[in-house]
Amino acid sequence: MYKHLTPGALPSSMQLSSDGRLRHFLTIEGLPPLLLEEILDRAEQFLSLPEKQQKKAPLLRGKTVMNLFFENSTRTRVTFEIAAQRLGADVTSLDIRTSSASKGETLLDTIRNLEAMSADMFVVRHEHAGAAHFIARYAAPHVSVLNAGDGRHAHPTQAMLDMFTIRKHKGEFPPLKVAIVGDILHSRVARSNIHALNTLSTGEVRVIAPKTLLPVDAEKLGVKVYTDMDEGLRDVDVVIMLRLQRERMGSALLPSEREFFKLYGLTEKRLELTRPDAIVMHPGPINRGVEIDSRVADGPRSVILQQVTNGIAVRMAVMAMIMGSGGMA
């Protein structure tokens, strides 16, 4: 279905309008740094909204957002729903397991029918890389598409909420050393984070993983590659742990989860190798005792739950920008 697409290689004009504004949000790759900074600044405006008596900023009143989740998700789907609701949009979440797609309807026919119900935005999660690009290419001109994760390719809003969380704790990006640890090969979060960190001129981006969980020519992504966890963690400011994605592994790439934790699990002892004020992040869901020790996941340097909170503000910012709405009054 998506054979004519090359995820990540799409022209920026597919995501941006002729005047440089965000039209779709499919990948971080190729976007200008000023646009990423604008997303972070807009998110800052929305972050304090839940603390106010009026929790909504009805910038999308009268708009219809449809969440099309072809792949399981909890926190991403819910945070997109809350984000759209706080912007005042009408929100529909399609459970693909009970939709007409399960009866053989093609993806394009599904999209055409939903467009006929006056959709303004599709939020798409799909197991196949390129699915969001495919829908964006064939969607009606007035419909925008937001990629909520496609295969192992991209997860741009997760990357932006991670950048937002890093900026909240660390300030500017150029002085920072950031390590991304674990299943780099199958992770759309890792790919999008690497693109975002490099676009924002981060001082040093490292990936740490066994060779079997690294992409071929990983260095071409603009990172330093480490296969030794202790060496890679030394003096970093930020540690981003990743989940082992067993569902995307076609064969046994690891001897065992116990062995993986022994060599690459983040423990309190290993965390001492980082800078004393280093923060620990994880996009979730967490596999405790596989990639991270509970004492670290729940410890004082963990900002994992803050990432979830920040995700709502960042998704509100992206939706508002895509729909051409201004900032909060």
Side-chain angles (χ1 to χ4, degrees), residues 23 66 68 70 94 105-120 122 133-143 145:
R23 168 161 157 58
M66 293 190 173
L68 313 182
F70 296 80
L94 178 67
E105 185 175 75
T106 68
L107 180 58
L108 271 183
D109 283 336
T110 300
I111 296 305
R112 294 284 179 259
N113 279 280
L114 295 174
E115 285 176 348
M117 301 175 198
S118 302
D120 296 291
F122 292 134
H133 300 65
F134 178 84
I135 293 172
R137 183 162 295 179
Y138 290 101
H142 70 281
V143 176
V145 178

Side-chain angles (χ1 to χ4, degrees), residues 32-150:
L34 284 177
L35 192 142
L36 300 194
E37 290 170 5
E38 183 181 355
I39 293 173
L40 300 180
D41 292 341
R42 291 286 188 92
E44 195 73 52
Q45 292 181 305
F46 291 118
L47 188 62
S48 60
L49 199 58
E51 300 170 0
K52 299 180 179 178
Q53 190 172 7
Q54 173 55 264
K55 292 184 170 55
K56 290 192 175 182
L59 301 173
L60 300 189
R61 181 178 291 157
K63 301 291 186 183
T64 299
V65 175
M66 293 190 173
N67 293 324
L68 313 182
F69 277 64
F70 296 80
E71 188 181 56
N72 291 336
S73 168
T74 301
R75 63 180 58 71
T76 300
R77 180 177 56 79
V78 172
T79 53
F80 268 114
E81 289 175 355
I82 293 173
Q85 289 166 354
R86 286 187 179 163
L87 290 170
D90 295 321
V91 185
T92 297
S93 293
L94 178 67
D95 186 346
I96 202 65
R97 293 166 298 184
T98 58
S99 75
S100 292
S102 64
K103 301 176 184 176
E105 185 175 75
T106 68
L107 180 58
L108 271 183
D109 283 336
T110 300
I111 296 305
R112 294 284 179 259
N113 279 280
L114 295 174
E115 285 176 348
M117 301 175 198
S118 302
D120 296 291
M121 177 185 287
F122 292 134
V123 177
V124 180
R125 168 168 284 202
H126 204 289
E127 63 182 343
H128 293 302
H133 300 65
F134 178 84
I135 293 172
R137 183 162 295 179
Y138 290 101
H142 70 281
V143 176
S144 293
V145 178
L146 207 161
N147 185 3
D150 61 327

Side-chain angles (χ1 to χ4, degrees), residues 163-239:
M163 297 308 106
F164 186 76
T165 305
I166 291 172
R167 195 175 79 165
K168 291 289 286 181
H169 285 271
K170 296 296 177 184
E172 299 299 315
F173 287 86
L176 299 180
K177 294 178 182 177
V178 178
I180 305 174
V181 185
D183 189 356
I184 309 295
L185 178 64
H186 301 98
S187 176
R188 55 198 175 203
V189 174
R191 286 175 56 87
S192 290
N193 274 345
I194 289 168
H195 289 307
L197 289 164
N198 285 331
T199 301
L200 293 169
S201 302
T202 304
E204 188 173 308
V205 183
R206 304 177 181 179
V207 296
I208 307 172
K211 289 182 179 178
T212 53
L213 295 181
L214 284 167
V216 176
D217 297 329
E219 293 88 351
K220 291 183 178 179
L221 294 170
V223 298
K224 286 191 175 182
V225 177
Y226 293 83
T227 55
D228 183 284
M229 178 75 161
D230 292 356
E231 185 181 349
L233 285 179
R234 202 169 300 280
D235 296 328
V236 299
D237 302 279
V238 178
V239 185

Side-chain angles (χ1 to χ4, degrees), residues 43 47 75-76 79-80 155 157-169 179-180 189 193 238-242 279-286 292 296-297 301-315:
L47 188 62
R75 63 180 58 71
T76 300
T79 53
F80 268 114
H155 198 348
T157 59
Q158 177 68 46
M160 291 313 301
L161 77 86
D162 288 346
M163 297 308 106
F164 186 76
T165 305
I166 291 172
R167 195 175 79 165
K168 291 289 286 181
H169 285 271
I180 305 174
V189 174
N193 274 345
V238 178
V239 185
I240 303 175
M241 300 301 297
L242 301 173
I279 59 173
V280 176
M281 304 171 65
H282 195 304
I286 295 173
I292 189 167
V296 176
R301 293 210 256 170
S302 170
V303 297
I304 294 171
L305 292 180
Q306 292 176 42
Q307 290 176 261
V308 179
T309 301
N310 293 341
I312 297 173
V314 167
R315 282 159 181 149

Side-chain angles (χ1 to χ4, degrees), residues 258-276:
R258 176 179 293 184
E259 184 73 8
F260 179 80
F261 183 72
K262 179 181 177 182
L263 295 175
Y264 294 97
L266 186 60
T267 61
E268 289 181 311
K269 184 177 180 180
R270 281 208 168 104
L271 194 56
E272 292 176 0
L273 297 168
T274 68
R275 292 195 170 165

